[in-house]
Amino acid sequence: MVENPFVIQNDWMVMLETEVMRWIRDGSVRDEQQTRGGVQAWESEWESQGFGLFAVEIRSTGELAGFTGLSVPDYLPEVLPAVEVGWRLGRSHWGQGLATEAAAAAVRFGFEERGLDRIVSIAQVGNDASERIMTKLGMHPVRETVNPTYGRRVRVFELSSDQYVTTTR
C-alpha cells in the first residue's frame, strides 16, 4: 500500500494537468481516488513482475517531477507478450531531457537487470514529443493500431535486446 502522501499528491498534481493527460488513455484528468488506485497498482507490479515505475526526481532540489518505468501493456493485447517503457512528467519539467534520461535508465534496467528480450513503447498518434524520445532510445516503429478501450490510434515502437546491445557499445 502507498504510505507516502507526497507521492500521491505529486502524481495527482501531474494527472490534473490537461496538457499532460491529453495523451493518456481517453485524455481526461484523474481525481485523487483514481490516482491513489493507479499508484497502488503500479506498486503491486514490482511484487508480481519484478519491475515497475520509478519516481523521477530533480537531483538538485529533490522535487518529484513525475515517473518512468516498465509495465505490461495489458490495454493493447495484440502486442503481448511485451513490456512497455513509459513516462509521465509534469508540464514544468518538459523540454529538459528528463524524460529521455529517465526512460533510458528504465530501458537499461529492463535489459541489463531483468534480462528482457524486447521493450516496446506506445504513444497516441500525434504525440510527437514521445515519439522523439522513443527514437532517442533507439526504438523504431513496428505498427500503428487502435487502442481497443479508448478508440484512439496509437503507434508501437520496439527495441530488442540485440539492438540495445549494439547501440550501447
Side-chain angles (χ1 to χ4, degrees):
M1 291 291 156
V2 174
E3 295 180 12
N4 185 338
F6 177 70
V7 171
I8 294 290
Q9 183 67 27
N10 178 270
D11 283 345
W12 182 30
M13 295 310 292
V14 168
M15 291 188 208
L16 284 174
E17 294 185 46
T18 305
E19 248 185 299
V20 173
M21 296 306 294
R22 76 180 274 208
W23 301 113
I24 309 299
R25 298 183 184 174
D26 66 355
S28 63
V29 297
R30 305 287 178 257
D31 63 27
E32 186 174 5
Q33 182 178 356
Q34 291 169 317
T35 301
R36 187 176 301 279
V39 170
Q40 289 171 346
W42 299 329
E43 285 189 342
S44 71
E45 279 192 321
W46 279 102
E47 294 173 23
S48 64
Q49 303 289 343
F51 52 77
L53 299 180
F54 299 95
V56 175
E57 185 177 282
I58 306 301
R59 286 185 188 129
S60 61
T61 65
E63 177 186 359
L64 200 56
F67 59 83
T68 188
L70 304 172
S71 63
V72 176
D74 292 326
Y75 65 91
L76 197 60
E78 68 187 76
V79 302
L80 298 175
V83 174
E84 176 184 15
V85 62
W87 49 88
R88 195 173 308 162
L89 300 180
R91 176 68 185 97
S92 63
H93 300 289
W94 290 5
Q96 301 170 37
L98 296 173
T100 302
E101 179 183 352
V107 166
R108 187 170 42 257
F109 174 79
F111 286 129
E112 295 180 13
E113 301 296 324
R114 292 298 176 247
L116 299 175
D117 292 326
R118 78 180 176 120
I119 296 176
V120 300
S121 195
I122 303 163
Q124 289 184 18
V125 172
N127 187 347
D128 298 334
S130 284
E131 288 191 15
R132 280 191 299 275
I133 292 168
M134 294 171 191
T135 301
K136 289 177 185 177
L137 295 174
M139 300 182 128
H140 59 278
V142 292
R143 75 173 68 190
E144 190 170 308
T145 188
V146 174
N147 177 317
T149 303
Y150 300 106
R152 296 176 113 183
R153 295 206 58 78
V154 296
R155 243 179 234 121
V156 180
F157 282 63
E158 176 180 279
L159 181 65
S160 71
S161 58
D162 290 341
Q163 292 165 327
Y164 172 76
V165 168
T166 302
T167 60
T168 57
R169 286 186 180 167

